[in-house]
Structures are given as structure tokens and as C-alpha cells.
Amino acid sequence: MKQPLFVEFLEDMATNYDLNGGTGTVPTGSNHIVGEELIVAPQGDISGSVYEFLGWNTKQDRSDMHYSAESTFKMGIGPVVLYVE
């Protein structure tokens, strides 16, 4: 009887940050394994482009997943860019 084949995806995926028109110091990006829980960068000295810093978003136009500073999320399959809201 054949055994099922299981493949574990261990490639590092990049997480990077974009000021999205805001000002301040861009947090350093990092690499994470798929499924790994990571902590989103704090606000630091960042100010939003129009309003005060609201957090991070996976889309530049703030239409996707919102993450508060220092919240957590699990790394998915593929690189992630978090944009200032």
C-alpha cells in the first residue's frame, strides 16, 4: 500500500513595510516561514500621510486586512508588504 506524500513548505517569505506617503523611519523587513506567527512593527516615529497613524494594511489603498501596531498574524504563502494607514 502506498503512503500519502506530505510536503512541508519551509521557504522563508519576506515581510516588508512601506510608509505609503507617510513620514518617519521604515521598519526593517524580515523573513518568516509559512504559518509562523509574527508581530507587526510598532508605530515608532511614523506619521500617516493625511491623518494620524492608524496601523498597517496589506493593500496600499487600505482596502484589505488591517493590523494594529504590535498585533500578530500568521505568515501566509507569499511575500507581504504592510502599508501605513
Side-chain angles (χ1 to χ4, degrees), residues 18-71:
D18 186 303
L19 291 179
N20 199 18
T23 60
T25 305
V26 178
T28 302
S30 55
N31 289 325
H32 302 275
I33 296 171
V34 174
E36 180 180 356
E37 188 168 89
L38 63 115
I39 298 173
V40 177
Q43 178 178 351
D45 67 347
I46 297 170
S47 297
S49 58
V50 179
Y51 303 103
E52 65 184 82
F53 176 88
L54 300 174
W56 301 97
N57 200 293
T58 54
K59 294 284 185 186
Q60 193 171 14
D61 66 1
R62 302 185 302 260
S63 64
D64 202 22
M65 294 298 300
H66 164 83
Y67 294 100
S68 300
E70 301 183 75
S71 62

